């Protein structure tokens, strides 16, 4: 007798998406500088720099760096304005960083609260089109933030007449007390929130650059499944904000085209971006760059393999099945002995590997609702009801050792 259970992949996200589409959000708030007294829209040629005071500890402690404003000159003069605004997004994550399961047919995802999120917008130079600039939402990678990769692509998009918008992923960008200190060349500095979404999840006094994206403790098998799904919720809410009308300049006109919304994402941004592209019908096309799935396999086979070892080392009983050595330090001293594809059948003779294989299989099953592979067919082959097939480019790096092919 075999006892097993099934699960729905997309039911909860569909219901959340439909709730967002029925809502009428308040406009983006650009009056967030200097405690609400300054509009946070800046001419790029007039910027001397932007200082980022990232919250990295609970004391509180901060690490100060500079946002890569020189990257906006990859295509010189292409970006005319950079703006920062806040919007409210529904939050379905509980304190354990899990979205509680609901019944597939009649159940409804339980709203846990809301978050005031920061979005950055890069507008091209030149005359704005009549309907506003087409806009590409850009998703950054694991350990990155809205102050990394989006700045490196914004000028290329702008040179093609496309605005860029970006937020930080759940658990990324440092703690919520972080600030930006915008330094204009000919005006007083403007201070605003940096929109950090991390927190001290393990209680050690520091805030890591991904701390808060995944479940820990008794529910750590969930991993980043629901952090990924909540990020998709936030991106769907951002789409709804664009559809409601975005007035960056404050002149009563619409600066972003409601009907020409696109998506591109890098690495982790390609992972949750694939889910987003499958769910959100208003996004017309997308480019997931070096994405992958499942997260369990991405970690097991690539540069994040120590995270797999760490999860095995912290289990009771721990499942590391090799002695540590200079070649295989903790937590890399494990051998799961899973054969690669297209090889002959093997007999498993590695002690302890069967238990590791079982853990990995359980992890992959539980995390399916956050696995981009589960949502990829929705982009073109099997669009959800009401969605049209999308043009999409999926880029792979040959021999990728971070997100393996």
């Amino acid at each position: 007798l075999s006892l097993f259970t099934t699960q729905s992949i997309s039911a909860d996200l569909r219901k959340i998406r439909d709730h967002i589409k029925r809502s009428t959000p308040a406009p983006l708030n650009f009056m967030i500088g200097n405690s609400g007294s300054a509009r946070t829209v800046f001419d790029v040629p007039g910027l001397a720099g932007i200082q980022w005071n990232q919250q990295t500890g609970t004391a509180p402690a901060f690490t100060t760096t500079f946002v890569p404003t020189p990257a906006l000159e990859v295509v010189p003069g292409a970006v005319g304005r950079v703006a920062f605004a806040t919007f409210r997004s529904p939050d379905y994550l509980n304190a354990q960083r899990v979205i509680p399961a609901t019944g597939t047919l009649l159940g409804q995802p339980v709203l846990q609260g809301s978050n005031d999120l920061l979005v950055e917008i890069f507008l091209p130079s030149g005359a704005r089109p009549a309907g506003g600039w087409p806009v590409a939402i850009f998703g950054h990678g694991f350990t990155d933030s809205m102050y990394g990769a989006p700045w490196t692509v914004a000028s290329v998009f702008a040179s093609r007449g496309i605005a860029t918008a970006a937020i930080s992923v759940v658990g990324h960008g440092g703690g919520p007390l972080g600030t930006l200190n915008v330094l204009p060349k000919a005006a007083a500095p403007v201070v605003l929130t940096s929109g950090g979404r991390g927190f001290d999840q393990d209680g050690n006094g520091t805030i890591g650059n991904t701390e808060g994206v995944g479940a820990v403790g008794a529910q750590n098998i969930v991993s980043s499944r629901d952090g990924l799904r909540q990020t998709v919720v936030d991106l769907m809410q951002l789409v709804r904000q664009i559809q409601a009308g975005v007035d960056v300049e404050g002149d009563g006109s619409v600066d972003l085209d409601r009907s020409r919304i696109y998506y591109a994402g890098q690495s982790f941004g390609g992972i949750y971006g694939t889910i987003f592209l499958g769910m959100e019908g208003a996004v017309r096309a997308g480019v997931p760059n070096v994405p992958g799935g499942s997260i369990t396999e991405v970690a097991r086979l690539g540069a994040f393999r120590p995270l797999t070892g760490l999860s095995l080392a912290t289990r009771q009983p721990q499942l590391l099945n090799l002695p540590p050595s200079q070649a295989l330090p903790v937590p890399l001293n494990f051998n799961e002995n899973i054969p690669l594809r297209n090889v002959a059948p093997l007999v498993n003779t590695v002690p302890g590997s069967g238990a590791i294989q079982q853990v990995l299989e359980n992890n992959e099953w539980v995390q399916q609702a956050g696995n981009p592979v589960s949502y990829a067919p929705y982009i073109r082959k099997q669009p959800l009801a009401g969605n049209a097939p999308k043009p999409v480019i999926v880029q792979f790096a040959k021999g990728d050792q971070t997100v393996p092919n």
Side-chain angles (χ1 to χ4, degrees):
L1 178 66
S2 178
L3 180 65
F4 67 96
T5 183
T6 60
Q7 61 173 323
S8 171
I9 297 302
S10 62
D12 282 341
L13 276 184
R14 292 190 202 192
K15 294 168 185 174
I16 294 170
R17 179 199 62 183
D18 293 345
H19 174 77
I20 290 173
K21 287 187 178 301
R22 290 191 300 265
S23 68
T24 303
L28 292 182
N29 179 18
F30 293 91
M31 289 295 296
I32 58 173
N34 296 341
S35 302
S37 63
R39 190 170 183 85
T40 48
V41 180
F42 305 96
D43 289 323
V44 169
L47 285 177
I50 302 177
Q51 189 179 52
W52 181 21
N53 300 306
Q54 181 181 1
Q55 186 188 2
T56 52
T58 58
F62 299 88
T63 299
T64 299
T65 56
F66 279 86
V67 174
T69 51
L72 298 182
E73 293 299 318
V74 168
V75 179
V79 180
R81 308 268 263 171
V82 59
F84 303 91
T86 56
F87 66 98
R88 182 154 293 182
S89 182
D91 188 5
Y92 290 88
L93 287 171
N94 63 19
Q96 289 73 46
R97 315 311 281 168
V98 171
I99 297 177
T102 62
T104 303
L105 181 61
L106 300 177
Q108 290 294 326
V110 179
L111 188 65
Q112 305 292 317
S114 62
N115 294 310
D116 288 326
L117 303 184
L118 186 73
V119 59
E120 60 189 9
I121 299 172
F122 305 88
L123 294 183
S125 300
R128 181 189 62 215
W133 297 103
V135 57
I137 298 171
F138 191 88
H140 69 76
F142 194 65
T143 75
D144 196 8
S145 73
M146 61 194 289
Y147 305 114
W151 291 70
T152 68
V153 301
S155 72
V156 177
F157 289 167
S159 71
R160 301 291 179 163
I162 301 171
T164 305
I167 63 172
S168 283
V169 174
V170 170
H172 288 63
L177 300 182
T179 59
L180 296 179
N181 186 19
V182 182
L183 305 171
K185 294 177 180 177
V190 177
V191 177
L192 63 141
T193 177
S194 64
R197 305 189 66 184
F199 65 97
D200 181 18
Q201 195 171 21
D202 58 11
N204 68 350
T206 64
I207 301 173
N209 51 16
T210 66
E211 198 165 354
V213 72
V216 297
Q219 299 193 67
N220 67 348
I221 191 172
V222 171
S223 184
S224 59
R225 179 195 75 188
D226 293 344
L228 287 165
R229 291 201 292 170
Q230 178 60 46
T231 299
V232 171
V233 171
D234 299 328
L235 293 175
M236 292 192 295
Q237 181 64 46
L238 178 56
V239 168
R240 190 73 191 97
Q241 298 289 155
I242 296 171
Q243 291 176 321
V246 174
D247 179 8
V248 176
E249 305 290 1
D251 57 4
S253 61
V254 173
D255 291 299
L256 300 181
D257 193 324
R258 296 179 172 99
S259 64
R260 292 194 290 172
I261 306 171
Y262 309 97
Y263 180 83
Q266 166 76 14
S267 191
F268 209 47
I271 288 172
Y272 59 79
T274 298
I275 304 174
F276 176 57
L277 285 168
M279 295 302 303
E280 179 53 72
V283 174
R284 293 175 55 174
V287 183
N289 189 45
V290 293
S294 70
I295 296 295
T296 296
E297 288 294 270
V298 168
R300 180 177 79 87
L301 293 170
F304 292 111
R305 185 171 172 85
L307 297 180
T308 301
L310 184 63
S311 70
L312 299 173
T314 53
R315 290 181 64 87
Q316 296 294 333
Q318 63 90 6
L319 296 180
L320 298 178
N321 60 343
L322 297 176
S325 65
Q326 186 174 1
L328 291 171
V330 177
L332 287 172
N333 53 321
F334 70 95
N335 179 6
E336 69 276 38
N337 199 34
I338 297 176
L340 296 173
R341 64 179 182 267
N342 301 327
V343 298
L346 300 176
V347 176
N348 190 2
T349 59
V350 176
S353 63
I356 296 174
Q357 292 173 18
Q358 186 65 58
V359 167
L360 295 174
E361 292 292 332
N362 289 342
N363 288 355
E364 192 162 12
W365 182 86
V366 168
Q367 296 164 21
Q368 279 296 91
N371 181 357
V373 178
S374 303
Y375 295 82
Y378 297 155
I379 299 175
R380 287 189 60 83
K381 293 183 70 176
Q382 303 167 20
L384 296 174
N387 289 0
K390 295 180 177 67
V392 63
I393 300 172
V394 181
Q395 299 189 118
F396 292 88
K398 185 177 180 179
D400 194 331
Q401 297 182 45
T402 302
V403 183
N405 305 140

